[in-house]
Amino acid sequence: MGGRAGGGANGGMGSASRSRFASIPGIQAIKDPQVRNELIQTLEDYDKEFGVRQTNIILESLGDYKGQLVGGEARVTAGKTSEIALNSKLFDKSSKDVTKIISDAQKGGFMAQTKNPIRHILAHELAHATWQPGHFTKGEGYKTKQLKNQVVGAYRKFLNDKSAKGWGAYAKSSYGEFFAEGVAKHMYGAKDKHTQAIVKIINDWKL
């Protein structure tokens, strides 16, 4: 389960249907209303905390990643995320099945532990839209390099912390995935010094 990937909602089905995010084509394409509601609430949660940077969300069939079903992809064009694709192989399933697939990936140690499995994947992709390798920052040049260096520094501290709990193998695979998994963990899992470091970078750089 990758993010190239539930719990209670922060609002009812009615409140989700009134959300400005409910009209996004990729969200409307989700068949199960409960899954659709969870994704809308994810967008609402993320917008409140960090600001949603990309609403061009589509639903399409994606491949696997190291034997795990890919949850989504955040695609970069000209230095910014231009599109988020959610995997129809996952999100065309029922809420129960989607939750089980993601939960199994978490329990198996691949993904970070969160209380809202369905929301985890979209939060992860929205984090990539906030920042990921290949993004240009204001002025590009040294600012882009400085930002990357801060993320890499936080990532290395995470890798060296043998006491870090609730993380998974995916966060360890690269500094970009550490950043995205850390945001999802901050929003829906147990916060720790590593999630706090990521949030500080987002806030300091006004990403």
Side-chain angles (χ1 to χ4, degrees):
M1 173 63 57
R4 285 211 323 158
N10 288 343
M13 300 289 277
S15 62
S17 67
R18 293 190 296 272
S19 167
R20 68 186 180 93
F21 299 113
S23 61
I24 295 173
I27 300 299
Q28 289 184 326
I30 303 293
K31 297 175 182 177
D32 188 297
Q34 188 170 345
V35 175
R36 191 164 60 245
N37 181 62
E38 289 289 339
L39 295 178
I40 292 170
Q41 292 297 335
T42 308
L43 285 156
E44 292 285 355
D45 293 347
Y46 199 95
D47 198 44
K48 182 177 181 180
E49 180 125 17
F50 301 114
V52 170
R53 301 294 179 243
Q54 183 53 262
T55 58
N56 182 20
I57 300 172
I58 65 172
L59 188 67
E60 68 175 49
S61 179
L62 303 174
D64 294 344
Y65 174 79
K66 295 185 177 181
Q68 299 285 339
L69 183 64
V70 168
E73 290 181 353
R75 295 160 178 167
V76 176
T77 303
K80 65 180 182 179
T81 298
S82 56
E83 179 179 76
I84 293 173
L86 297 178
N87 194 352
S88 59
K89 293 178 184 175
L90 175 66
F91 287 104
D92 271 348
K93 300 181 184 296
S94 68
S95 174
K96 180 179 179 180
D97 288 343
V98 175
T99 298
K100 184 180 186 306
I101 290 169
I102 301 170
S103 294
D104 285 349
Q106 293 177 322
K107 292 173 184 176
F110 184 71
M111 292 171 61
Q113 299 289 320
T114 55
K115 297 177 181 178
N116 303 78
I118 291 178
R119 299 187 193 185
H120 183 124
I121 293 176
L122 184 53
H124 178 112
E125 300 307 332
L126 291 170
H128 278 317
T130 295
W131 181 85
Q132 64 176 311
H135 273 199
F136 299 148
T137 57
K138 306 180 186 86
E140 300 177 27
Y142 83 95
K143 290 187 177 181
T144 300
K145 185 176 181 180
Q146 289 288 99
L147 170 54
K148 175 185 172 182
N149 287 345
Q150 285 189 24
V151 176
V152 171
Y155 172 59
R156 288 175 177 165
K157 288 181 181 179
F158 161 67
L159 291 179
N160 290 327
D161 183 3
K162 305 305 180 185
S163 65
K165 298 184 183 301
W167 294 79
Y170 200 37
K172 296 178 181 179
S173 67
S174 73
Y175 61 89
E177 300 307 337
F178 160 71
F179 181 92
E181 282 289 273
V183 169
K185 189 174 187 292
H186 164 79
M187 291 181 66
Y188 300 120
K191 297 176 178 64
D192 60 22
K193 62 184 178 182
H194 303 296
T195 64
Q196 291 168 356
I198 292 169
V199 172
K200 186 176 187 303
I201 290 171
I202 293 173
N203 292 333
D204 287 351
W205 284 88
K206 298 179 173 58
L207 296 177

